[in-house]
């Protein structure tokens, strides 16, 4: 994917996410596609819009005024975009559904800042609070993350060595990656395994050495209707789960609230001076420490004890440094 197109996709995503109302097509052209002819604009906009939707971004079409049949507009509702399991795919600029999980990735943070600056300079009416969906900040710290991240929009095959539990040595695999997602605290890539000729999911932490893009871009298409999160849940190994009990400040930790089985309000907080909310989640505790730490002083682990000890240990390590 060219730098020009990826920048355009990012700008379109940010514009539709942070604007406060439906944006008419004419306004989108004025700000983002000013140099394109009428025909070129129509083609580029339709392709870009469908590209975002294919990546799991809920681009919504609606009327600017409910009482008049005027020009329709487009928007992305932050509350719909910030679902707990947003699919990841694309390179730095396509930030796309990846945004919710990896805004803290240095490359994406730079690209996002630049996009907002351009939209502001162009006079777009924006609401930066929509970017609060960036919480919690989960770092994309797997060494091979960028390779898969970049290969998906390019539609490039990735070749890598993969170690599976119980095997003596890693095996070479070739994958047409469809998306990257975080599941139960771990990063996975989902796609079509060329060697097995079937859908497969691979945990990035088990990729050995360097992953490489091979062949030409545009080598495959992602099947229509592909649900990366559902595929990951279906194919990934089952993880043992246990109740996780958290105290969170009122109005904080929205992603954890959405995933909670129960929410009890008005609970005495850790300092006993204010009331908090108690969330109970049934999920694998692996990786949830990252999410809790992402909310800082707004979240507190009550149980299980092992998770609480892990969070405390990581906080003490930060203080020690």
């Amino acid at each position: 994917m060219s730098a020009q197109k990826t920048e355009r996709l990012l700008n379109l995503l940010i514009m539709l996410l942070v604007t406060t109302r439906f944006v008419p097509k004419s306004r989108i052209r004025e700000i983002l596609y000013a140099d394109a002819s009428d025909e070129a604009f129509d083609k580029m906009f339709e392709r870009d819009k469908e590209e975002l939707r294919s990546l799991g971004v809920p681009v919504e079409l609606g009327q600017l005024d409910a009482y008049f049949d005027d020009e329709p507009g487009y928007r992305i509702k932050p509350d719909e975009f910030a679902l707990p399991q947003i699919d990841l795919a694309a390179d730095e600029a396509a930030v796309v559904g990846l945004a919710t999980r990896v805004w803290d990735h240095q490359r994406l943070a730079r690209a996002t800042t630049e996009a907002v600056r351009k939209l502001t300079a162009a006079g777009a009416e924006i609401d930066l609070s929509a970017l609060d969906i960036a919480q919690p900040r989960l770092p994309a710290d797997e060494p091979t993350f960028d390779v898969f991240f970049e290969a998906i929009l390019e539609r490039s095959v990735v070749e890598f060595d993969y170690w599976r539990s119980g095997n003596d040595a890693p095996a070479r695999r070739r994958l047409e990656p469809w998306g990257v997602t975080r599941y139960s605290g771990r990063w996975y890539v989902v796609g079509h395994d060329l060697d097995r000729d079937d859908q497969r999911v691979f945990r990035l932490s088990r990729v050995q050495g360097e992953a490489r893009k091979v062949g030409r871009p545009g080598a495959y298409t992602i099947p229509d209707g592909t649900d990366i999160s559902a595929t990951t849940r279906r194919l990934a190994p089952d993880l043992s789960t246990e109740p996780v009990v958290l105290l969170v400040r009122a109005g904080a930790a929205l992603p954890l609230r959405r995933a909670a089985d129960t929410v009890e309000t008005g609970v005495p907080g850790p300092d006993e001076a204010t009331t908090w909310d108690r969330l109970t989640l049934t999920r694998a505790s692996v990786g949830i420490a990252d999410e809790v730490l992402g909310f800082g002083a707004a979240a507190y682990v009550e149980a299980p004890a092992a998770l609480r000890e892990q969070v405390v240990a990581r906080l003490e390590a930060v203080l020690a440094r």
Side-chain angles (χ1 to χ4, degrees):
M1 173 178 284
S2 69
Q4 183 179 13
K5 180 178 179 181
T6 53
E7 180 181 359
R8 192 174 70 241
L9 270 179
L10 174 61
N11 287 338
L12 179 60
L13 170 69
I14 297 298
M15 181 180 190
L16 299 183
L17 179 63
V18 302
T19 48
T20 57
R21 63 193 68 183
F22 284 106
V23 185
K25 191 174 178 180
S26 58
R27 181 63 169 159
I28 293 173
R29 179 184 180 180
E30 178 185 345
I31 295 178
L32 301 183
Y33 301 81
D35 297 331
S37 65
D38 291 344
E39 182 179 359
F41 163 66
D42 285 335
K43 290 181 179 178
M44 284 192 295
F45 177 64
E46 289 304 314
R47 282 199 301 264
D48 292 349
K49 177 164 56 71
E50 293 310 312
E51 188 80 58
L52 291 180
R53 284 173 171 163
S54 73
L55 293 165
V57 180
V59 179
E60 180 183 5
L61 175 65
Q63 295 298 131
L64 303 180
D65 192 315
Y67 300 99
F68 297 94
D69 188 19
D70 53 8
E71 181 183 4
Y74 299 86
R75 70 178 178 184
I76 299 169
K77 289 184 177 180
D79 57 344
E80 293 183 5
F81 188 54
L83 293 172
Q85 291 292 340
I86 286 292
D87 300 336
L88 303 180
D91 62 4
E92 63 171 309
V95 107
V96 196
L98 346 186
T100 306
R101 292 299 190 186
V102 292
W103 285 104
D104 204 36
H105 193 278
Q106 183 181 8
R107 295 166 62 191
L108 296 183
R110 286 200 308 267
T112 303
T113 301
E114 180 66 10
V116 171
R117 184 192 65 78
K118 288 183 177 180
L119 291 171
T120 303
E125 183 180 347
I126 63 175
D127 175 15
L128 292 181
S129 67
L131 295 180
D132 289 345
I133 64 170
Q135 297 293 341
R137 298 180 183 275
L138 301 181
D141 51 6
E142 294 292 349
T144 58
F145 183 93
D146 283 348
V147 176
F148 290 104
F149 195 52
E150 294 168 353
I152 292 162
L153 275 189
E154 293 181 8
R155 306 295 193 260
S156 295
V157 173
V158 179
E159 187 176 76
F160 56 97
D161 293 329
Y162 190 74
W163 177 80
R164 297 186 69 89
S165 179
N167 290 359
D168 295 332
R172 178 64 52 88
R173 309 301 288 267
R174 294 178 304 134
L175 184 74
E176 295 175 345
W178 296 344
V180 184
T181 188
R182 192 173 178 88
Y183 171 66
S184 293
R186 297 165 176 167
W187 286 107
Y188 291 87
V189 60
V190 179
H192 179 249
D193 187 329
L194 294 174
D195 301 298
R196 305 296 190 271
D197 192 25
D198 200 1
Q199 296 179 17
R200 287 292 188 273
V201 59
F202 296 92
R203 203 168 89 194
L204 294 191
S205 62
R206 289 186 172 178
V207 175
Q208 306 296 299
E210 180 183 358
R212 299 169 296 280
K213 292 184 290 184
V214 296
R216 59 179 179 81
Y220 63 93
T221 58
I222 297 176
D224 292 339
T226 297
D227 186 328
I228 301 301
S229 294
T231 303
T232 303
R233 291 192 296 269
R234 177 169 55 86
L235 297 178
D238 290 333
L239 297 173
S240 59
T241 58
E242 59 183 328
V244 174
V245 182
L246 308 173
L247 291 181
V248 299
R249 294 188 185 276
L254 294 180
L256 291 174
R257 290 175 182 274
R258 293 190 190 96
D261 299 320
T262 62
V263 178
E264 181 184 355
T265 60
V267 177
D271 56 6
E272 298 186 354
T274 58
T275 58
W276 292 38
D277 296 338
R278 176 178 286 119
L279 312 184
T280 302
L281 305 85
T282 304
R283 57 180 296 180
S285 58
V286 175
I288 196 172
D290 292 330
E291 299 182 58
V292 173
L293 288 166
F295 295 109
Y300 178 90
V301 179
E302 282 195 326
L307 176 60
R308 175 173 169 73
E309 291 170 1
Q310 180 186 2
V311 170
V312 170
R314 290 176 59 176
L315 289 172
E316 289 177 342
V318 171
L319 290 174
R321 289 200 295 269

